[in-house]
Amino acid sequence: MASCDRAMKLNLGSLLFSFFALLGSFQSALAEDAETDRSQGSCNLYPKTQYDLLIYGCTAAGIVAGIQVHRMNRTFALVCPETHLGGMTTSGLGWTDSKHGSAIGGIAREFYGKIYSYYQSDKAWNRESRAQYKGHVGTAQPGPPIDEQQRVQWTFEPHVAENILEDWMKAGNIEIHHSDPIDRSKGSVRLKNGQITSFKTKSGKRWEASMFIDASYEGDLMATAGIPFRIGSEGQSDFGESLAGIKIQEKSSYWKLDPYVKKDDPNSGLLPGIERVIPASHKKNGASDVGRLQPFNYRLSLTQQKDNQVRFFKPDGYKAEDHELLLRYIEASDHTEFFTKQLMPNLKTDTNSKEAVSTDLMGGNYNHDNGTTYFNVSDEERKAIVQKHRIYTQGLFWTLANNPRVPKSIRDNVGSFGYAKDEWTSNHNWPYELYIREGPRMKAAYTMTQADVQSPKKLDDSVIGLGSYTLDVHEVERLVIDNEVYNEGLVHTPVDKPFPIWYNSLVPEKGGISNFLNPITMGSTHVAFASIRMEPTYMIMAQSAATAAVHALEQCVAVQAVNRTKLSDKLKADSQKLSW
C-alpha cells in the first residue's frame, strides 16, 4: 500500500510538472503574440498609420528591404524617385563588387541565384553560348563568374537584372510608386516626439508610416529630416585613420602635359577638369577635405557586335575644350586604353573608368568655391549636373573615336565599340542612373572606420552583415604643383578578409530620430565607406535594416533599442552571413 501511495504521488508530481511546463509554454507564446500585437494597436510609441513601413528609394537595396518586410507580413510601400527599379544594379554595374562571394547571404544571394537560373536557359544566350562565355570571361571579383557549385552568377546584363527584379515585385504584389522624389523643402518631413511621422513628395502626396527606411543613394530622406551627417573626407586625426584626408600622389600621372588653356601661360587659366593650383609647400596629406567627393560616372554597356550597336555620336552641348586635357594626355603619354571592358554575357561590357583621364568626371559633383555639392543644390541644378556628366561621357567616346589628334590605332579600336542597342531601350540606350559613388554619411550610433574594415574588434552590438571589398576611393580632384598636374584623393588598399558591419551604424545617434534606418548613406567615415559602398553590401544591410524595423514595431521600442539577440537569430534564420 505504501508503494502504491508513492507511485500515485510520483504520477501526480509528473502531471503537475507537465501542466506547469505546458502553462509556461502557453504563457510564453501569449507573451510573444502580445509583443507582436503591440504595434498593431496597443503600442503607444507607434500608433497605427497608413503603413507600418515606408521605404524611400527603389535601388536594389530598397527592393530587398521591401521583400523582407513583405515576408515578415507588414504593410509597406516603396516610394521611388526613380522611374526604373534597381539603381546601379540595373544601370550597368554587372561586374559585382565583392572580393568574397561566400560573404554574401540572404536575399542578396537569392538575387544572384536568380541570375544563375536565368542564364542556365539556352534562350538567354543570343550572341554566344553559355560554354563560350565561361571559356573567355576569366575570373570575376567574387569568384567564378558562373559558380556551378554555389549556383550563383556574378556577371549579368542590365536588362536581365531589371526583369528579374520586376518579376520579383510582381510575384509579391508589392506596392511601388515610381517617379515621385521627396520634396526637399522645409516642412516636407514632419517630426513628432523624436520620430518621423510623414514626408511629402513632389507629386504633393504625403506619406505616413510608423517606420522609415532611406534606401536612396543621395540620402535625401535623411537630410530632409534633419538627421546630422558628414560629407567629404575626415582628417587623419578625426578617427585615427592613416588613409584619411587629402592624399596627393607622389608622382604625377600626366607626363608633364601643359595644364594651361594657352600653353606655357598660367594667366590663361587651367584646362577644364583641373581644379586649382597649390604651392609645393602645401603638398601635404592628411587634412580633412570637407565637400569634395569621389567622382560620379556612368557604367556603360558597350559591344562590338555591329548589328546590336549604336555608334558613338557627338552629343548636343559638346564642347571641344572639355576634352583638351584628354587630347594632351594622349599626345604626352603612351597610353592606349581609356575605359575598362569587363565582359558580360552576350558579348557586352560593363565599362568603367580607367587611367588618369576617362569616364570619371573629377570635380563634376561639387563646387568648392561656392561650398555646394550635388547633394545640397536644387533639383534643377542636380539635373544640370547629371546632364553635364552625360554630355561629358558621350563626348569622351566620340572624341576618342573621331578626333584626328587621337592616333588612328586608338580611333579604330574605340570606334569598333558602340552602345548596346538592346539595353535601356526606353532611355536611348543610356543608363538610367548616374553612378553616385559616395554621398552624405549619417552620424550614426556607431561610425564604421578604417580599423573596422582592416582589423575589426568585437563590439557589444549585433553584426548585421559582412563587407568584402577593397578600400576603393577614386581620385577626387586634379591639382597643379610647379606646373605639373597631380591627382588627389586616391585610395586603393586591399582588404584581407570580410569584416563585420555593426547594427548601430544603420541607426541615428542615441537620442536622435527613433524610427529611421539607413542602409546606404549609413554611419561610416569616408575611408570605411570606400569598402562598404557596394551593391551587394547595400542589399545585405537593407535586409537587416528592414528586419530591425519590424522588430522595433513588434517590441514597441526605438530602433536603437531593438533586442540584439532576437535580431541576430532572425538574420541567421534568413541566411544572412554574420561571421567569417
Side-chain angles (χ1 to χ4, degrees):
M1 189 73 176
S3 62
C4 183
D5 288 342
R6 281 196 300 272
M8 288 178 66
K9 288 179 182 178
L10 285 170
N11 288 336
L12 181 60
S14 297
L15 285 169
L16 286 171
F17 178 82
S18 298
F19 171 76
F20 284 117
L22 181 63
L23 180 62
S25 298
F26 182 64
Q27 288 174 329
S28 176
L30 283 176
E32 288 182 10
D33 289 341
E35 184 175 79
T36 300
D37 289 343
R38 275 201 287 269
S39 65
Q40 298 179 1
S42 59
C43 176
N44 292 329
L45 186 62
Y46 299 113
K48 191 66 178 174
T49 58
Q50 182 182 9
Y51 300 101
D52 292 325
L53 277 95
L54 204 294
I55 300 165
Y56 181 70
C58 286
T59 58
I63 291 168
V64 166
I67 292 168
Q68 183 66 7
V69 176
H70 176 71
R71 290 177 178 178
M72 296 179 77
N73 297 313
R74 288 290 173 160
T75 62
F76 71 99
L78 275 162
V79 177
C80 316
E82 310 92 346
T83 303
H84 295 265
L85 299 179
M88 287 307 302
T89 296
T90 60
S91 281
L93 212 168
W95 185 249
T96 302
D97 287 324
S98 170
K99 296 301 184 183
H100 299 274
S102 55
I104 299 172
I107 296 171
R109 194 169 192 84
E110 289 180 46
F111 168 74
Y112 297 109
K114 287 178 180 288
I115 296 286
Y116 175 87
S117 296
Y118 173 83
Y119 281 112
Q120 278 192 301
S121 169
D122 289 341
K123 293 179 181 179
W125 301 89
N126 55 24
R127 298 281 165 178
E128 60 185 331
S129 70
R130 190 170 185 265
Q132 286 172 329
Y133 178 68
K134 288 180 66 176
H136 67 69
V137 67
T139 301
Q141 295 189 103
I146 301 176
D147 192 327
E148 305 287 9
Q149 184 176 357
Q150 298 297 321
R151 299 183 67 80
V152 290
Q153 181 163 332
W154 305 115
T155 56
F156 49 88
E157 299 159 274
H159 76 271
V160 171
E162 185 175 12
N163 291 339
I164 285 171
L165 294 176
E166 285 181 346
D167 289 346
W168 213 342
M169 295 296 94
K170 289 174 185 175
N173 196 27
I174 288 174
E175 182 179 344
I176 303 175
H177 301 268
H178 290 284
S179 305
D180 199 9
I182 189 171
D183 180 347
R184 293 187 287 137
S185 64
K186 186 176 181 180
S188 167
V189 176
R190 290 179 180 170
L191 305 173
K192 184 178 180 181
N193 298 326
Q195 292 184 350
I196 299 172
T197 60
S198 67
F199 68 85
K200 187 173 72 172
T201 48
K202 299 289 280 188
S203 67
K205 182 173 176 61
R206 182 160 289 280
W207 301 88
E208 296 181 352
S210 297
M211 195 70 59
F212 295 83
I213 292 175
D214 190 342
S216 69
Y217 296 123
E218 299 85 357
D220 282 340
L221 176 55
M222 171 188 71
T224 309
I227 296 170
F229 59 84
R230 301 179 181 88
I231 195 162
S233 176
E234 298 84 0
Q236 286 182 351
S237 61
D238 291 338
F239 289 90
E241 297 177 305
S242 62
L243 299 176
I246 291 172
K247 295 185 73 64
I248 302 171
Q249 64 183 153
E250 288 297 317
K251 183 179 179 181
S252 172
S253 301
Y254 291 88
W255 300 72
K256 296 186 181 296
L257 68 80
D258 193 300
Y260 306 112
V261 173
K262 293 181 180 179
K263 291 185 177 181
D264 300 319
D265 183 5
N267 293 323
S268 66
L270 297 170
L271 290 173
I274 303 174
E275 184 171 340
R276 56 187 174 135
V277 178
I278 66 170
S281 60
H282 289 191
K283 190 181 177 183
K284 297 177 181 178
N285 294 331
S288 64
D289 198 9
V290 177
R292 288 190 176 89
L293 300 163
Q294 285 201 60
F296 300 166
N297 78 337
Y298 282 100
R299 298 292 285 257
L300 302 174
S301 181
L302 306 181
T303 183
Q304 292 177 301
Q305 300 300 295
K306 299 301 182 185
D307 62 336
N308 189 35
Q309 191 182 83
V310 175
R311 300 295 300 275
F312 297 137
F313 56 87
K314 189 177 185 178
D316 292 340
Y318 177 88
K319 295 180 180 178
E321 58 266 31
D322 289 341
H323 303 284
E324 180 63 23
L325 178 64
L326 169 67
L327 295 173
R328 292 191 192 179
Y329 179 68
I330 292 171
E331 291 166 346
S333 74
D334 57 5
H335 286 291
T336 59
E337 296 285 336
F338 299 92
F339 52 93
T340 68
K341 307 179 187 74
Q342 293 99 340
L343 292 174
M344 299 299 106
N346 291 313
L347 303 176
K348 300 176 197 172
T349 69
D350 168 356
T351 284
N352 196 9
S353 184
K354 184 178 183 179
E355 302 299 344
V357 186
S358 185
T359 61
D360 281 355
L361 183 53
M362 290 189 215
N365 52 23
Y366 62 83
N367 185 321
H368 211 261
D369 291 336
N370 295 342
T372 60
T373 73
Y374 177 81
F375 302 100
N376 62 2
V377 296
S378 69
D379 291 344
E380 290 305 311
E381 288 174 289
R382 281 190 180 181
K383 289 178 182 176
I385 291 171
V386 170
Q387 181 66 358
K388 180 180 179 180
H389 280 76
R390 181 171 182 156
I391 292 170
Y392 168 78
T393 308
Q394 291 174 343
L396 175 91
F397 283 96
W398 183 86
T399 300
L400 286 168
N402 292 279
N403 194 292
R405 290 168 62 186
V406 177
K408 186 177 184 301
S409 59
I410 297 176
R411 293 201 311 270
D412 289 346
N413 178 263
V414 174
S416 70
F417 287 87
Y419 307 117
K421 190 163 59 176
D422 60 351
E423 296 296 346
W424 308 300
T425 55
S426 64
N427 198 45
H428 306 289
N429 312 109
W430 195 253
Y432 306 130
E433 297 273 338
L434 179 64
Y435 188 11
I436 296 174
R437 286 192 175 92
E438 179 182 22
R441 303 178 306 279
M442 180 173 66
K443 291 187 176 180
Y446 183 76
T447 298
M448 295 283 295
T449 69
Q450 179 181 336
D452 291 303
V453 174
Q454 292 184 315
S455 52
K457 297 178 181 178
K458 175 67 177 171
L459 300 181
D460 185 20
D461 191 17
S462 285
V463 176
I464 53 84
L466 301 176
S468 57
Y469 199 71
T470 301
L471 289 163
D472 181 32
V473 180
H474 287 227
E475 293 91 339
V476 170
E477 62 172 332
R478 296 186 184 95
L479 308 169
V480 172
I481 303 172
D482 290 340
N483 299 314
E484 280 199 66
V485 182
Y486 290 82
N487 286 336
E488 186 274 309
L490 177 68
V491 175
H492 195 80
T493 303
V495 175
D496 292 337
K497 60 184 180 181
F499 57 90
I501 299 170
W502 301 101
Y503 174 70
N504 272 337
S505 67
L506 306 187
V507 298
E509 296 170 301
K510 187 175 181 180
I513 299 296
S514 62
N515 66 335
F516 174 84
L517 295 103
N518 192 348
I520 292 185
T521 55
M522 41 79 74
S524 169
T525 64
H526 169 77
V527 173
F529 193 73
S531 178
I532 295 168
R533 62 172 187 87
M534 306 302 162
E535 289 289 289
T537 314
Y538 288 157
M539 288 190 262
I540 290 165
M541 294 190 292
Q543 181 178 351
S544 296
T547 304
V550 173
H551 279 198
L553 293 174
E554 291 177 351
Q555 297 164 21
C556 195
V557 297
V559 294
Q560 293 87 346
V562 163
N563 185 297
R564 301 300 201 266
T565 301
K566 290 183 177 180
L567 176 61
S568 296
D569 289 346
K570 176 61 176 170
L571 297 181
K572 290 174 185 175
D574 289 341
S575 301
Q576 286 278 55
K577 297 295 181 70
L578 306 182
S579 61
W580 181 258

